[in-house]
Amino acid sequence: MKTDFLVIGSGAAGLCFALKAAAHGHVTIVTKGEMNECNTNYAQGGICSVTYAPDTFEKHIHDTLVCGAGKCEKQAVELVVRRAPELIRDLIEWGTRFDKTPDGRFELNREGGHSEHRILHHEDLTGAEIERALIESVKKNPNITVLEHHFAIDLLTQHHLGEFVTRHTRGLACFGAYVLNIDTNEIETILSKFTIVATGGCGNIYSRTSNPVVATGDGIAMCHRAKAITENMEFIQFHPTTLYNPGEKPSFLITEAMRGFGAILRLKTGEEFMDKYHPMRSLAPRDVVARAIHHELAKTGDEFVYLDVTHKDPDSVRSHFPNIYEKCKTIGIDITKDWIPVTPAAHYCCGGVKVDLNGMTSVKRLYALGETSCTGLHGGNRLASNSLIEALVYADQAARHAVAMLPKVEIQEGIPDWDFEGTTHAEEMLMILQSQREMQSLMSNYVGIVRSNLSLKRAMRRLAIIFEETEELYNKTKPNRELCELRNMIATAYLVIKQGRELKESVGCHYNVDYPKE
Ligand code: FAD
Ligand code: SIN
């Protein structure tokens, strides 16, 4: 199969790129599940954009830089903040509905680390609303082909033409991808002029995550294998408040917008503990709140703290957070009367595949967008609700860049089809599941909210064993989704540990007790 633009992933980043590029060439989107199985669909709090005074671009830039703990790329921050209003207009044109006040102005949320209300939202289901509008627009576009249940296995480069390549190979380029058709079990070769990896995050390398099961770091791992550069992988953001409901996967998020609305974190005793940790108390940046909860839980031996919104007007609580209200009711909690038990969970990968201001990776003809990428916007810690807007701004940047180069690029011929025949046995599935659990457990125990040199070293040793066993299995097994995901999670976990060991300080989301900070 040949296409101008091969987009891998159907979240906000991939769909927005497709809509922008489709006016200039044919777009093929492959996605491993149904179109709306993605992190985007779960986003609650909303999407950042400077909308009304007293907010300004300068304030949004400042908040992003402060939250990023000195690790942000200033140009990326300027780009996203200043272009955000344009992309919000595009979203509205594609049919997204944001909540408004009775006088017709956008109703703006506030979350941790923000000095102003600047988060547009649709109830507490903003991501689902954006995803709905994007999917409807994509379905109407005759220049976009969507292939659901198509799992990208690996990116094609000169390696597949028999050349020896490294991260330093000059002219290293991407020619498309090998893609597993999950329905037929065939591996298809899709050749493209440009390949866009928009496969989202990697929350499932941890036991507790707010991410849906599709977030297995596939794009980061594929780009790493294709010799693209990755960075900032140690900065895994833990969301402080997911519903404590043992056994539930993914962990259900209690949006930070609820703390922006006035909800207060409390210990079981009722003590409001955040004033010991930060002047912004319950609305402090996420890394601070997650570590504070971690610290309190370690002291008390409890498994959760509480979020209390019972002092707010019940009708207002129900109308702002209808989804959370209904969800909590199903486990017997009326959030207008009861405190909500919450605990942190892996939430967002601040690092990823290093890209420039056009979303271009270190490999030619290969772009990385959205949570898969590391644009430099988030630095050491992402400001809440900055990721959806980053995905959209960079999708637009990348589309403009690729479209301008389109006339000069040809499809690469001579790439061989996938030629491996193997087997899959039920017993292998059990091993895959067991290895996944072991990996998640070691990442949670040794590479979580608080790390140490020793814990990182142990994690790497144990991961190496799982890696070897998995490669052995991969080399004799016909690729299937579960095995490929495990392999990708191991590669992603490896990058988190490796880059974590290289950073000799505690900064942002990476807290190492051997390098304490105030
Ligand atoms: P996704 O939306 O995750 O899309 C990735 C796509 O790639 C999926 O379709 C997936 O199936 C596909 N895919 C993955 N691997 C493969 C493969 N090998 N082959 C084919 N397809 C593949 N951010 C905000 O800005 N505001 C919020 O309020 C907010 N709330 C959040 C709440 C929750 C519970 C979560 C989990 C995240 C939240 N985030 C929020 C973060 C934000 O949702 C994500 O960072 C963003 O949606 C990522 O978009 P994306 O397009 O990069 O990836
Ligand atoms: C939330 O609603 O708390 C999540 C926002 C985000 O992750 O940006």
Side-chain angles (χ1 to χ4, degrees):
M1 189 188 295
K2 293 179 185 170
T3 186
D4 292 322
F5 305 101
L6 171 62
V7 176
I8 307 173
S10 57
L15 297 183
C16 179
F17 178 93
L19 286 167
K20 296 279 179 169
H24 307 273
H26 184 260
V27 181
T28 302
I29 301 176
V30 296
T31 190
K32 64 181 173 180
E34 309 285 317
M35 266 180 104
N36 67 355
E37 285 177 38
C38 55
N39 278 9
T40 299
N41 208 35
Y42 284 68
Q44 290 187 359
I47 179 164
C48 279
S49 176
V50 172
T51 308
Y52 302 123
D55 199 11
T56 60
F57 288 143
E58 286 67 33
K59 287 184 188 172
H60 188 186
I61 290 169
H62 177 261
D63 293 346
T64 303
L65 292 173
V66 170
C67 192
K71 297 281 180 190
C72 299
E73 300 284 344
K74 182 91 190 287
Q75 279 183 308
V77 179
E78 295 261 355
L79 175 76
V80 171
V81 169
R82 292 186 192 280
R83 292 212 59 209
E86 261 177 85
L87 272 299
I88 295 289
R89 279 196 290 278
D90 286 342
L91 274 186
I92 293 170
E93 212 161 281
W94 288 325
T96 309
R97 298 158 302 169
F98 291 114
D99 287 2
K100 294 199 171 163
T101 59
D103 59 359
R105 287 160 62 93
F106 288 113
E107 192 194 68
L108 301 175
N109 274 344
R110 187 173 164 202
E111 296 181 59
H114 288 273
S115 57
E116 294 291 347
H117 285 75
R118 66 166 69 93
I119 301 167
L120 293 112
H121 65 106
H122 178 91
E123 298 175 346
D124 52 357
L125 288 167
T126 310
E129 171 61 11
I130 292 175
E131 185 71 10
R132 178 200 62 74
L134 290 173
I135 289 177
E136 281 178 15
S137 301
V138 161
K139 283 189 173 161
K140 281 188 224 143
N141 194 311
N143 229 7
I144 305 177
T145 303
V146 181
L147 302 173
E148 292 182 318
H149 309 127
H150 278 65
F151 183 101
I153 298 178
D154 259 324
L155 300 170
L156 304 170
T157 66
Q158 283 91 339
H159 169 76
H160 299 91
L161 295 168
E163 293 175 28
F164 176 73
V165 298
T166 71
R167 264 167 244 297
H168 308 289
T169 301
R170 285 179 69 122
L172 184 61
C174 179
F175 310 127
Y178 286 132
V179 177
L180 171 70
N181 178 335
I182 294 171
D183 296 332
T184 63
N185 230 8
E186 301 279 320
I187 295 173
E188 297 164 6
T189 308
I190 304 188
L191 300 175
S192 58
K193 294 183 179 168
F194 297 97
T195 305
I196 293 82
V197 179
T199 50
C202 61
N204 286 287
I205 63 175
Y206 289 91
S207 311
R208 278 189 62 85
T209 178
S210 64
N211 293 190
V213 290
V214 290
T216 50
D218 296 356
I220 297 170
M222 274 191 285
C223 288
H224 175 66
R225 287 196 291 272
K227 310 291 182 210
I229 294 170
T230 59
E231 67 177 8
N232 288 0
M233 289 298 298
E234 65 275 34
F235 299 124
I236 298 290
Q237 185 173 71
F238 287 79
H239 198 292
T241 57
T242 63
L243 183 65
Y244 177 77
N245 187 21
E248 181 172 28
K249 277 186 191 255
S251 298
F252 182 79
L253 190 78
I254 307 293
T255 177
E256 203 159 292
M258 194 176 269
R259 279 176 281 135
F261 180 77
I264 296 166
L265 284 161
R266 296 186 188 283
L267 297 179
K268 270 187 182 165
T269 55
E271 184 194 337
E272 188 189 336
F273 59 93
M274 274 309 299
D275 44 3
K276 286 189 292 196
Y277 295 94
H278 199 277
M280 289 175 89
R281 305 200 298 189
S282 290
L283 259 193
R286 227 167 246 190
D287 61 321
V288 177
V289 182
R291 264 197 312 279
I293 295 176
H294 180 87
H295 190 229
E296 292 297 332
L297 295 182
K299 272 196 315 192
T300 56
D302 291 337
E303 293 195 26
F304 54 86
V305 294
Y306 283 108
L307 189 64
D308 171 16
V309 73
T310 57
H311 51 288
K312 303 294 282 187
D313 169 54
D315 287 339
S316 183
V317 170
R318 274 189 291 266
S319 72
H320 274 87
F321 307 106
N323 178 41
I324 294 176
Y325 175 77
E326 289 301 331
K327 167 70 195 180
C328 289
K329 231 171 59 179
T330 65
I331 58 166
I333 296 168
D334 177 347
I335 65 171
T336 64
K337 299 191 186 110
D338 306 318
W339 296 350
I340 311 167
V342 290
T343 192
H347 182 60
Y348 185 82
C349 181
C350 298
V353 184
K354 183 177 165 58
V355 295
D356 66 13
L357 292 171
N358 293 312
M360 179 92 148
T361 68
S362 52
V363 176
K364 291 186 190 336
R365 296 165 57 167
L366 178 66
Y367 297 83
L369 299 177
E371 195 165 337
T372 303
S373 68
C374 180
T375 64
L377 172 73
H378 310 305
N381 186 22
R382 178 181 63 108
L383 184 67
S385 289
N386 256 355
S387 43
L388 286 169
I389 196 63
E390 177 197 44
L392 299 175
V393 169
Y394 272 83
D396 186 63
Q397 293 286 115
R400 286 165 193 250
H401 190 255
V403 161
M405 294 204 301
L406 187 61
K408 295 180 224 144
V409 175
E410 298 291 332
I411 293 279
Q412 177 71 45
E413 302 293 342
I415 301 278
D417 282 340
W418 187 279
D419 69 350
F420 186 81
E421 283 303 317
T423 55
T424 305
H425 296 301
E427 139 198 83
E428 285 160 2
M429 285 299 170
L430 283 178
M431 286 190 226
I432 292 169
L433 203 59
Q434 180 56 23
S435 296
Q436 180 174 322
R437 287 203 195 107
E438 284 176 26
M439 181 232 16
Q440 289 168 334
S441 159
L442 77 86
M443 288 303 288
S444 305
N445 292 325
Y446 296 135
V447 201
I449 297 174
V450 174
R451 304 153 183 189
S452 71
N453 287 342
L454 181 62
S455 75
L456 292 170
K457 188 172 164 189
R458 280 195 173 193
M460 193 59 114
R461 279 212 194 130
R462 281 156 174 73
L463 189 73
I465 298 170
I466 305 173
F467 167 76
E468 270 171 35
E469 291 170 353
T470 305
E471 287 305 292
E472 217 173 276
L473 194 58
Y474 184 78
N475 288 332
K476 64 176 170 99
T477 305
K478 184 164 186 190
N480 57 70
R481 175 174 168 171
E482 292 76 11
L483 181 53
C484 290
E485 286 182 335
L486 172 63
R487 218 174 153 237
N488 291 334
M489 285 189 277
I490 291 171
T492 310
Y494 163 79
L495 292 171
V496 176
I497 302 169
K498 177 172 177 285
Q499 295 179 16
R501 292 183 80 186
E502 285 163 3
L503 185 64
K504 306 287 183 206
E505 60 177 327
S506 285
V507 58
C509 303
H510 177 74
Y511 192 83
N512 182 333
V513 292
D514 291 310
Y515 309 103
K517 65 172 184 178
E518 288 289 299

